Amino acid sequence: MEQQNRGDKKSPQKKKLNFKTCQKNTIKSLNEIEYFLNNFKKFTRYVKIFKIFK
C-alpha cells in the first residue's frame, strides 16, 4: 500500500515580476481600450443619426 502524504503539498513558486513584459502588456491594453472607445464614439454618432432620420 502506498503512503499518502496529506498536507505536505509544496506551494507553487511565485513568478518573478518582469517589468518589461508588464509594461508592454499595460501599453497594449491601453491601446486596445483607446481603440474601443474611439469606435464606440463613432457607433453612438451613427445611432444618433439613425434616430434623427427614423
Side-chain angles (χ1 to χ4, degrees):
M1 182 178 236
E2 293 182 23
Q3 185 181 15
Q4 294 180 0
N5 294 328
R6 296 184 186 190
D8 291 343
K9 295 179 182 178
K10 294 182 181 179
S11 62
Q13 293 180 347
K14 293 183 180 180
K15 294 182 181 179
K16 292 184 180 179
L17 181 64
N18 189 348
F19 182 74
K20 288 186 179 183
T21 56
C22 185
Q23 183 181 15
K24 286 179 184 178
N25 290 339
T26 304
I27 291 172
K28 184 177 178 182
S29 296
L30 289 174
N31 287 336
E32 289 175 352
I33 291 170
E34 183 180 12
Y35 179 76
F36 171 78
L37 290 175
N38 285 335
N39 285 339
F40 189 73
K41 287 179 185 178
K42 290 178 184 178
F43 175 74
T44 54
R45 280 191 215 142
Y46 291 129
V47 170
K48 288 178 184 177
I49 290 173
F50 181 75
K51 285 182 180 181
I52 290 172
F53 288 123
K54 190 174 179 183

